[in-house]
Amino acid sequence: MIIDIREAYSRALDGFGALVHQIAPEQWENPTPCVDWDVRALVNHMVGESLWAPELLAGRTVAELGDVFDGDLLGDDPPKAFDAAAAAAVHAASSDGALTCVTHLSFGDVPGAEYITELFADALIHTWDLARAIGADERLDPELVETCAAWFAGAEGGYRQAGVIGEQQPLPAAPDAQARLLASWGRHA
């Protein structure tokens, strides 16, 4: 069942956040499936994405914001930083007009619904990345997998051409929906 994108985004951030709270002190430097990112860099990326969301959904541009969300966004309490940023992002995505507003992204203007969908997909795939990095349960919510796969079927070519995902990976024998989705995002599941 494909679900409302705002609900999907909220649930994906909840899943990622649950894992953030499981990270042991010695795991922050663990490598992740994301090239060049350890656990801390991955969580910092997600905090940054979440901090951008309210600003872009309110009509601000990347140029207006400049480098305000560059650097370390986690401080001394990464779970707290994530929780605050995620709550603000979900609130912004749930606001009236969020789906129909124009968001001014670095590569061009897109409807709010498309931007929220991209945020959702990023959060979902990075949930798996974080689970893999810290040795947690890697099973993603099947409804979120289905929702992401339905959207990504039409977006995959553009993502691959832009170089923001890796090459399609070989599928295991009898792959499930999650394995197919992860392989399409360049992940070895």
Side-chain angles (χ1 to χ4, degrees), residues 117-136:
T117 303
E118 292 171 8
L119 291 171
F120 151 66
D122 197 50
L124 182 66
I125 299 304
H126 286 322
T127 298
W128 181 85
D129 293 334
L130 183 55
R132 167 80 34 118
I134 66 170

Side-chain angles (χ1 to χ4, degrees), residues 17-87:
L19 291 174
V20 169
H21 285 273
Q22 293 178 31
I23 300 169
E26 67 276 6
Q27 293 179 316
W28 286 98
E29 294 181 4
N30 285 7
T32 72
C34 302
V35 178
D36 299 327
W37 282 356
D38 63 11
V39 168
R40 187 173 179 90
L42 176 60
V43 175
N44 194 68
H45 164 72
M46 289 302 299
V47 169
E49 288 279 307
S50 296
L51 291 172
W52 277 98
E55 301 295 337
L56 295 175
L57 289 168
R60 295 189 69 191
T61 67
V62 172
E64 285 177 305
L65 294 167
D67 62 2
V68 70
F69 300 127
D70 287 356
D72 178 31
L73 303 170
L74 302 182
D76 294 335
D77 192 344
K80 183 178 178 180
F82 176 81
D83 291 345

